[in-house]
Amino acid sequence: MTFLWGVATSAYQIEGAVQNDWTEWERAGRLKPGVEPCSGATGHRQLWESDLALLPEIDANAYRFSVEWSRIEPRPGEFDAEALALEARRVELLERLSVEPVATLLHYTHPLWFWREGGWDDPRSVMWFARFAERVADALAPRVRLWVTLNEPIVFLLGGYLAGLIPPGHRSFSRSARALEHLLRAHAEASAVLKSKDPTARTLIAHNMLDFAPDRSGHPVDRRLVSEGEALYNLSLVEAITTGRVRWAFPGEGRALFRVPELPASTDLFGVNYYSRVHLRFRGFPGPVGEFFYRDPRGRGLTQTGWEIHPEGFERVLRAASQAGLPILVTENGVATADDRVRRDFLREHALVLAHARGSGLPIEGYFHWSLLDNFEWLDGRRPRFGLYEVDYATLARRRRPSADVFARLGRQFRDERRAPAAGRG
Ligand code: FCB
């Protein structure tokens, strides 16, 4: 099988121009101070055909995109035929370009009605999501064979149900546990629906994984926090997918244990989104026991999102992901920087780690760089620049960055198995 070498995007971050929970969040002034709302994002809604035509120019043979639920199902149970037809045209164009489509069903944004009806707290959310998946599958299967049901459910819960930082803005452990159960059941249900439409369809969850380190290497409590952090953030989903047993526990907040027995059989690959490493430090009592931050031990500078560039951690999280016993897809990896040389180094260094991890036997089937274009970065807006193509927000012009050449060259090496181990030379 050819290695998938592609880029990842999400609908809201490049299209905007819709009404969903994020637009409401923006209207309520919940972005960081000074950040402009997403609005029409990069104009991809109009420019989608010429944007997709960029994929062969960077030698991508795969493209991960998301379908915006609020466009497809603007009112509960009412599906927009035109919006579905547009998704089908997108996938047809990818086929003509010989680019493998990887469709994400839920990438953070929800229709407003979904929250009005009860959101992920409500057990009916499982059925709502499966019904949405079914309609999308009717339009896109069997052309789409790889489906990411959920993007980063743990990040979504931490931000949306525990820290109140993203929609729906809750701060409740018990609600987060209930929502996790429904999200995982929704993944399993949607997977069953997708496979009923196309028995060869393969499904996965894209899981954000971090490398963790103690702030003070000899400090026993900092080290303890690291193992707790790894268990909760990285491994709870690995365990859930492997065994169906879900453990969700926060020191001082609560713990939940439940089963979603269908999980192992409904999941075919393990998706890893990797960006950075965090350091953890014990703060003492009372209040939150620990704090986390991004350090810059090598003095390379943090990225525009404030993250450390740490390729070594990539291999560690890939190893942790491999405990699920499934083939792995790197569903996201990238860097926000105004200095494209940083992106070129980032690509080369992470490709080297990827080649090494594959060489040592990890079953990695593909890599998706975040992202094709600069885009709307959730709470930070347009400032972080993640694109292989620069977007001029005044004119919406796209300009190829030199890192696109590095990406293309590495891709050719990864697809040509005989040359893959030399990927680091890029
Ligand atoms: C990931 C998200 C993606 C993008 C990158 C930078 O956590 O999945 O949408 O914002 O971070």
Side-chain angles (χ1 to χ4, degrees):
M1 193 182 15
T2 315
F3 193 75
L4 297 179
W5 186 260
V7 284
T9 63
S10 91
Y12 189 63
Q13 292 178 277
I14 54 174
E15 291 180 349
V18 74
Q19 214 203 357
N20 62 21
D21 51 353
W22 268 88
T23 56
E24 288 302 296
W25 193 253
E26 293 165 7
R27 259 227 315 241
R30 305 295 294 269
L31 301 180
K32 286 191 187 158
V35 172
E36 281 177 41
C38 174
S39 178
T42 69
H44 180 75
R45 194 69 187 162
Q46 299 85 52
L47 300 173
W48 66 275
E49 285 165 296
S50 50
D51 282 344
L52 296 190
L54 301 174
L55 295 167
E57 293 187 13
I58 55 171
D59 272 297
N61 66 359
Y63 177 57
R64 175 177 171 225
F65 62 97
S66 81
V67 177
E68 172 66 36
W69 190 354
S70 58
R71 284 188 197 281
I72 305 294
E73 191 179 0
R75 279 163 297 280
E78 269 180 45
F79 291 86
D80 183 323
E82 251 175 62
L84 283 163
L86 194 130
E87 295 303 333
R89 276 171 41 218
R90 188 203 308 272
V91 169
E92 280 157 27
L93 176 54
L94 290 171
E95 192 172 55
R96 283 205 297 284
L97 297 170
S98 302
V99 172
E100 181 78 30
V102 180
T104 303
L105 290 174
L106 190 72
H107 199 120
Y108 288 155
T109 55
H110 302 75
L112 290 173
W113 64 258
F114 177 82
W115 296 115
R116 271 200 303 269
E117 298 282 319
W120 291 111
D121 295 42
D122 191 315
R124 293 175 302 163
S125 56
V126 176
M127 181 273 283
W128 298 329
F129 186 68
R131 183 177 64 186
F132 161 61
E134 176 164 25
R135 290 306 187 98
V136 178
D138 284 338
L140 304 188
R143 281 198 165 104
V144 173
R145 292 172 293 180
L146 273 168
W147 298 87
V148 177
T149 54
L150 310 174
N151 182 66
E152 301 187 346
I154 305 293
V155 176
F156 166 67
L157 289 174
L158 292 176
Y161 273 83
L162 280 160
L165 285 173
I166 61 172
H170 299 322
R171 287 168 181 267
S172 156
F173 178 82
S174 59
R175 293 179 85 164
S176 77
R178 205 160 44 237
L180 177 59
E181 180 166 356
H182 296 147
L183 278 159
L184 295 177
R185 288 194 196 289
H187 157 74
E189 275 296 312
S191 298
V193 165
L194 295 166
K195 286 161 198 253
S196 74
K197 302 281 169 187
D198 170 15
T200 67
R202 297 199 297 162
T203 68
L204 64 150
I205 293 173
H207 178 37
N208 185 292
M209 297 181 85
L210 282 163
D211 191 27
F212 289 92
D215 189 43
R216 295 159 293 186
S217 56
H219 196 288
V221 190
D222 287 5
R223 293 164 69 120
R224 175 73 197 276
L225 286 177
V226 165
S227 54
E228 300 265 347
E230 273 167 354
L232 177 86
Y233 192 89
N234 285 344
L235 298 176
S236 58
L237 202 64
V238 174
E239 184 187 359
I241 285 176
T242 326
T243 63
R245 201 170 49 237
V246 189
R247 275 194 284 192
W248 182 239
F250 273 85
E253 295 259 8
R255 60 176 51 242
L257 184 65
F258 54 88
R259 293 186 69 87
V260 181
E262 317 79 43
L263 264 185
S266 57
T267 312
D268 304 289
L269 297 114
F270 197 91
V272 175
N273 292 356
Y274 175 72
Y275 288 91
S276 189
R277 161 168 81 170
V278 291
H279 281 80
L280 299 180
R281 185 181 180 96
F282 176 59
R283 277 189 36 185
F285 300 100
V289 280
E291 57 190 355
F292 77 92
F293 34 79
Y294 297 90
R295 284 196 167 281
D296 182 21
R298 279 178 293 178
R300 298 174 69 173
L302 298 176
T303 70
Q304 287 177 319
T305 41
W307 302 342
E308 180 190 359
I309 297 176
H310 187 58
E312 297 81 358
F314 191 22
E315 178 137 1
R316 261 195 297 279
V317 303
L318 289 169
R319 280 196 193 287
S322 73
Q323 291 173 30
L326 296 171
I328 294 171
L329 267 193
V330 177
T331 31
E332 285 179 33
N333 171 243
V335 59
T337 177
D339 178 353
D340 196 54
R341 283 169 309 184
V342 171
R343 192 178 341 271
R344 279 175 261 168
D345 288 346
F346 181 99
L347 270 162
R348 291 190 191 103
E349 289 169 0
H350 284 77
L352 191 59
V353 173
L354 187 69
H356 184 263
R358 289 186 78 210
S360 74
L362 293 192
I364 304 167
E365 289 194 7
Y367 171 92
F368 291 80
H369 191 72
W370 184 273
S371 183
L372 175 64
L373 307 167
D374 291 337
N375 59 74
F376 177 79
E377 174 52 31
W378 306 117
L379 300 171
D380 291 315
R382 294 171 181 166
R383 203 179 70 90
R385 299 290 183 150
F386 273 103
L388 296 176
Y389 283 81
E390 180 187 345
V391 173
D392 174 341
Y393 284 104
T395 62
L396 298 184
R398 277 72 166 131
R399 204 176 56 230
R400 184 181 171 109
R401 292 195 166 109
S403 51
D405 299 340
V406 175
F407 173 86
R409 197 156 55 236
L410 290 167
R412 288 192 292 275
Q413 293 175 357
F414 269 90
R415 292 208 303 266
D416 180 349
E417 292 299 331
R418 286 156 308 173
R419 292 168 64 206
R425 284 203 308 259

